[in-house]
Amino acid sequence: MPLGLRPPHAGADGGSIPLVGISPNGVEQTMSDKNIELTRRKALLGLGTVGAAAAGTGAGTFAYFSDTESSSGNTVSAGTLNLTADGNDGSATTTVEVSVAPGESDSGSTTLKNSGSLPGHLNFDLGALTNHENGVLEPEQGAPGEDGESTGELGRAHAAGGAHALDVRAGFDTDQDGNIETVVLDSTNKDPRNNVSGVTGIEYNPNEAIGNDNEVDFIFESSLPSDAGNAVQGDSVEFDITFELLQEPSGSSVAITGDSSWASNQPWQPTTNEAHTGEGSWYAGSQATKRTLYFGSEFSSFHDLPKFTVDDINDITYWLKSPEGLGGADDSGSDIYLTIYTKPEDDGEDASWYDSRLQALPADADGGSPNFVTGEWNEFGTSSSAQHQLRFYDHVPSVPKPAASDQPTLSDLQGGDYDWDDAFPGSSGDEHPENSYHDETVLALSLQTASGDSDLDMYLDDIVLDLSSSGTFSIDLEP
């Protein structure tokens, strides 16, 4: 039987029970009174209506699954940096006392741990150096370099009549195998004018990365050359090392402070009156003696830069500020100028303790017409990208000083053999020497004042040495 049709209700006698309805005109009708025509088309229409309803019902039944939970008591906590030195959580300062015999060496280490929850960067400061005489022993009396004063000679430059005094080397042992993997400072194999006195009073920023709950060892090595002499017998040196753990790296490679021998012996006047970077700078001021800062090679020990040649120099920059402009009040000074000393070659052409002495005066920058902004910080550098590009001349008797407009740039000197006739346009040729500066090893870089500039109203700060062989080394001068 087709779906949607059903037979008439059957009676007790087997007959049909009439279905009663009301006609539109009010006359009662029974099934037998009216024939109902149900065609196949009408039946199909009915099925279509049922199907549509089922489809609608299905759309509601098959919705995406979902569930809801709640979370309460949420908190946000700041991470921590916590540095311990040899397990000591109260202080990260270590006092170093050094006392060694000629030809001997010694070392000590401190285990540093970041016990916080964040990774950090390790730096350290070497405090001011104290020399202890510890009494003048009988062998010291009359020994070269012994002055009989209360301060000892072990940590002095030129100790024992010029012999090399105490050498130091320090850095991080990252895998704790007893060896320094990250060397930060090194006075060994440097000029005798550099020793422990040149590494103290300085803030070192190697930014050694250390993860949370990780350890590294800091190793400090000292050695005394066999030629140190009797003047250092019984002497000792003392200084503090303060470690610092920072979340973000510090800027300059080192910050040289007023506690260093570079400031006190030269003598500069560290000040907070002006600063290009950090919180201070060094002032030339009124001094009867020449002010000098050696950096970046064998005359400075507050780094671990490898030996490099003139060719290896990408750029050297430094910043000056003066209320008077260049040349001082009477326009006669040399200001704070850059000198590149190269290592003697024992070829009969060495000028002195150096081979070449390339000088660059600020007033000669930009061909002799630098637009120095009075009362503002001005950048001087060896590359064409500097605010004021420096020019050079060789300060030896055989090469007179050319006019500023004709002096070569550092790039000119790095281009191979340089003929100084090129710096004298009126030269007939072969009047001046030719020199191969580019492959000479740099002995020292220096920023200095002229000996006669006893009153120089000028500030110095933010020195950067960029080497193709070993990257960038930067110096912040602080009080």
Side-chain angles (χ1 to χ4, degrees):
M1 179 178 294
L3 183 62
L5 301 178
R6 62 180 181 178
H9 291 274
D13 57 353
S16 62
I17 300 174
L19 297 177
V20 179
I22 304 297
S23 69
N25 57 10
V27 179
E28 183 178 273
Q29 294 180 334
T30 64
M31 180 70 76
S32 58
D33 293 329
K34 183 175 179 68
N35 293 325
I36 298 177
E37 181 181 7
L38 184 61
T39 65
R40 184 174 183 273
R41 183 177 178 182
K42 289 182 180 179
L44 290 176
L45 180 60
L47 288 174
T49 303
V50 173
T57 302
T61 301
F62 296 102
Y64 291 111
F65 295 131
S66 64
D67 190 15
T68 302
E69 301 288 349
S70 62
S71 175
S72 60
N74 297 295
T75 61
V76 177
S77 299
T80 60
L81 286 174
N82 185 26
L83 178 64
T84 63
D86 289 332
N88 184 357
D89 200 19
S91 173
T93 299
T94 298
T95 299
V96 177
E97 295 186 22
V98 179
S99 180
V100 292
E104 293 185 355
S105 61
D106 194 12
S107 67
S109 66
T110 297
T111 298
L112 304 171
K113 181 176 181 179
N114 176 9
S115 58
S117 62
L118 298 174
H121 298 84
L122 281 171
N123 297 321
F124 62 93
D125 304 346
L126 264 61
L129 177 72
T130 301
N131 277 290
H132 298 291
E133 180 66 72
N134 301 321
V136 179
L137 304 177
E138 186 274 330
E140 292 183 86
Q141 298 174 12
E146 177 59 59
D147 56 14
E149 296 180 359
S150 58
T151 56
E153 290 77 29
L154 181 61
R156 291 190 192 178
H158 298 284
H164 207 159
L166 185 70
D167 274 324
V168 292
R169 182 172 177 264
F172 294 102
D173 175 11
T174 54
D175 58 8
Q176 297 183 299
D177 65 348
N179 299 307
I180 301 176
E181 281 79 39
T182 304
V183 180
V184 180
L185 60 94
D186 189 355
S187 73
T188 58
N189 301 317
K190 297 289 179 68
D191 185 88
R193 282 154 277 225
N194 283 273
N195 53 27
V196 67
S197 66
V199 304
T200 53
I202 297 177
E203 301 170 3
Y204 295 87
N205 299 316
N207 295 309
E208 182 70 27
I210 180 172
N212 64 298
D213 204 33
N214 282 3
E215 290 183 348
V216 299
D217 287 342
F218 178 84
I219 297 179
F220 190 92
E221 301 173 344
S222 60
S223 60
L224 189 61
S226 57
D227 63 353
N230 282 335
V232 300
Q233 276 204 39
D235 296 357
S236 62
V237 297
E238 179 182 355
F239 51 91
D240 289 342
I241 305 178
T242 302
F243 303 96
E244 185 177 40
L245 179 62
L246 302 174
Q247 184 177 355
E248 294 295 327
S250 292
S252 299
S253 303
V254 295
I256 306 179
T257 74
D259 289 331
S260 70
S261 62
W262 298 105
S264 58
N265 293 346
Q266 297 310 317
W268 297 91
Q269 299 178 38
T271 178
T272 56
N273 292 341
E274 299 287 351
H276 183 262
T277 188
E279 299 177 356
S281 61
W282 287 7
Y283 180 61
S286 300
Q287 300 287 339
T289 58
K290 185 182 185 75
R291 279 80 83 204
T292 306
L293 173 64
Y294 290 104
F295 65 99
S297 193
E298 294 186 30
F299 266 39
S300 55
S301 48
F302 48 79
H303 59 78
D304 185 45
L305 294 172
K307 292 182 179 181
F308 58 93
T309 66
V310 172
D311 249 353
D312 289 327
I313 301 174
N314 287 334
D315 199 5
I316 304 171
T317 61
Y318 65 100
W319 292 78
L320 299 177
K321 184 174 183 179
S322 173
E324 298 177 346
L326 297 177
D330 58 1
D331 199 32
S332 62
S334 299
D335 307 302
I336 300 174
Y337 58 90
L338 174 66
T339 303
I340 302 175
Y341 298 94
T342 63
K343 198 173 181 65
E345 299 175 339
D346 297 325
D347 56 0
E349 299 180 359
D350 297 333
S352 178
W353 48 267
Y354 53 85
D355 184 9
S356 302
R357 181 181 169 189
L358 299 170
Q359 287 191 339
L361 305 182
D364 291 342
D366 304 328
S369 57
N371 184 22
F372 187 88
V373 182
T374 301
E376 299 290 338
W377 284 101
N378 290 253
E379 180 195 35
F380 290 84
T382 59
S383 74
S384 58
S385 62
Q387 181 184 356
H388 305 296
Q389 186 178 17
L390 295 166
R391 304 290 187 99
F392 287 86
Y393 67 97
D394 194 346
H395 198 281
V396 296
S398 59
V399 182
K401 185 175 183 291
S405 57
D406 298 320
Q407 292 175 19
T409 65
L410 182 63
S411 178
D412 294 330
L413 300 178
Q414 293 171 325
D417 293 350
Y418 183 79
D419 188 348
W420 281 102
D421 281 334
D422 295 340
F424 297 90
S427 174
S428 60
D430 296 328
E431 295 183 19
H432 305 93
E434 185 176 290
N435 203 343
S436 179
Y437 298 101
H438 67 99
D439 58 358
E440 292 184 7
T441 300
V442 175
L443 174 64
L445 301 174
S446 174
L447 288 168
Q448 55 189 262
T449 67
S451 300
D453 283 347
S454 58
D455 189 6
L456 184 58
D457 194 1
M458 182 169 284
Y459 299 87
L460 169 68
D461 199 13
D462 199 2
I463 306 161
V464 178
L465 169 62
D466 184 9
L467 299 174
S468 59
S469 55
S470 55
T472 300
F473 183 79
S474 54
I475 303 171
D476 175 20
L477 300 178
E478 291 294 330

